[in-house]
Structures are given as structure tokens and as C-alpha cells.
Amino acid sequence: MRIAERRARLSFPALVLVTDSARQPQRETTGEAWLDDIVREAVLGGVSIVQLREKHLERGDLIALGLHIRDAIAGRAMLFVNSNVDAAIALGADGVHLPERALPTGAVRDRVGERMLISRAVHSIDAAVRAERAGADVLQAGTLFATQSKPGAPLLGPNGLSEVCAAVDLPVIAIGGIDAQNAAEALGAGAQGVAVIGAILNADEPREAAAALRRTIDSIGLSGAA
């Protein structure tokens, strides 16, 4: 598969739901079945990528959860796996998301083949440029605003995000403290989408929370693939 064909599978503006069940309050349902329900509702509300980010799970448990999440998505959104390349391969995921300081992009490409998309977290212009040169398909830039998932993290802010977007030709998805009230600010700075955790996972109505975010980002007028 050619690079352009692989990247053309991405559609924008993207709405990414990043899972993080270890940080969520206890749910009434047993085990992690509640996450399946949230993902299903969020995708129906407009989430286009589900990023499985469950750092507390070992490979086998991550794959088992991923199978449930893949079923909940039911082909209506893409599935990315955070960090664990083996799990991404086992699940037949659409993509793998790599932290800024993780395995080299080239080494991951050799393992996952040409079809799987590679997303890379970046926190600066230099990191974004390096990730693009190394062959990443999409970047996730943050931390944009203050967030409970990374308390005390240095903030990129809208101005920093704008500089990152201008420095690369890859699509950039903003992450960090984003909700329906400030998502437009992220896209106004040049992002091609937003990634959220608590804005959907903590919502009483995940489908409506996702729909509110979708309405906001669609109102900016971005469309198509980068």
C-alpha cells in the first residue's frame, strides 16, 4: 500500500476518544463492560477514532478488552492501540499510537507493515518535525489545556499548537483538556481534529457528549483527508 493510500483512510475533522478506564470512577456494571457501552454510544455520537489507551493492562488483557471494543465499534470508527504494537497487530487495528519517547517509527513500521497507520505524540515543533521525517502518518499534539489526565504537564497552548501545525505537512490532532466549549479553539489553531478522554468518558450521556463535540468541530468547516 502506498503512503498516500494509507493516509487517505483518515477522514477529518477527526474526533478521537482515548480510553483510560483506570482513571474513571466506578461504574455500576461489573468489570469493564461499561467501557464497551460508552464506546458504542460515543461512536454513534460521532467519534471517528477510538484509541485504546489502557496502560495498566498486560498484553493478553489488553487484547481481550480490545476485542470487546472492536465489536462495540462495529466498523463505524477506526481502532488505534496506544503503545502496544503486539496488541495492535493481534487486534488487526487500523493504527498504533506511539508516545513521543517510544520505539522508533521506522522500527514500528517494519513490524506492522504498510497498511497500519502510525500516530505519534508530540509536544514541540522539533518533535513534530522529527516524527514527520521518520514516517509518522498523523501527529497528536499536546498538552493543549490543563487536564486531570496529566496534571502539571507543560501546556502547549493554542499558539504552540499553531506553530506545530505550521511546521509539518501531516495532520495534527490536538489533545489535552479539550471539550465542546474549547474544541473550536484547537481547530482554529490549525488542528485537523481533537482527542478527548474525560469529556466523553465522564459524561452522563456519552452519545450526546460526542455529538456536541462533533457539532463543534464540524462547524469549523474542515472536511476530507489530509
Side-chain angles (χ1 to χ4, degrees):
M1 177 179 286
R2 296 171 56 188
I3 294 174
E5 294 173 343
R6 180 175 69 241
R7 294 177 179 174
R9 294 165 54 214
L10 291 161
S11 61
F12 300 98
L15 175 54
V16 183
L17 169 60
V18 181
T19 75
D20 192 1
S21 62
R23 292 183 179 271
Q24 304 312 309
Q26 290 296 109
R27 301 281 172 161
E28 292 181 1
T29 53
T30 58
E32 290 174 314
W34 62 268
L35 188 58
D36 302 7
D37 295 335
I38 289 179
V39 167
R40 185 178 298 105
E41 290 298 301
V43 169
L44 290 172
V47 162
S48 54
I49 298 173
V50 176
Q51 181 178 319
L52 191 62
R53 178 183 180 268
E54 301 294 327
K55 296 181 179 181
H56 63 295
L57 295 182
E58 298 295 333
R59 177 179 177 273
D61 291 335
L62 181 63
I63 292 172
L65 176 60
L67 291 171
H68 288 288
I69 297 302
R70 191 177 66 186
D71 288 345
I73 292 171
R76 294 185 291 264
M78 290 184 132
L79 173 64
F80 278 51
V81 176
N82 201 89
S83 300
N84 196 313
V85 179
D86 289 339
I89 294 170
L91 289 166
D94 298 287
V96 59
H97 175 75
L98 305 174
E100 185 172 297
R101 295 178 179 85
L103 294 170
T105 303
V108 173
R109 174 60 64 204
D110 290 341
R111 291 181 62 190
V112 303
E114 292 300 317
R115 180 186 177 279
M116 190 178 292
L117 292 153
I118 297 178
S119 167
R120 192 109 215 179
V122 298
H123 303 90
S124 67
I125 293 173
D126 288 345
V129 171
R130 288 196 303 271
E132 181 177 40
R133 289 174 178 169
D137 297 302
V138 59
L139 305 180
Q140 201 172 91
T143 302
L144 188 59
F145 304 114
T147 172
Q148 293 181 352
S149 65
K150 289 191 176 181
L155 300 184
L156 187 63
N159 290 338
L161 174 63
S162 180
E163 292 173 352
V164 167
C165 293
V168 295
D169 291 326
L170 294 179
V172 176
I173 295 173
I175 188 169
I178 297 173
D179 55 30
Q181 283 67 53
N182 59 27
E185 197 170 353
L187 274 75
Q192 291 283 320
V194 298
V196 304
I197 302 175
I200 291 177
L201 290 188
N202 291 341
D204 292 333
E205 299 292 341
R207 187 189 301 201
E208 179 50 38
L213 280 156
R214 173 54 68 187
R215 287 192 295 269
T216 297
I217 65 176
D218 283 349
S219 70
I220 303 300
L222 299 175
S223 62

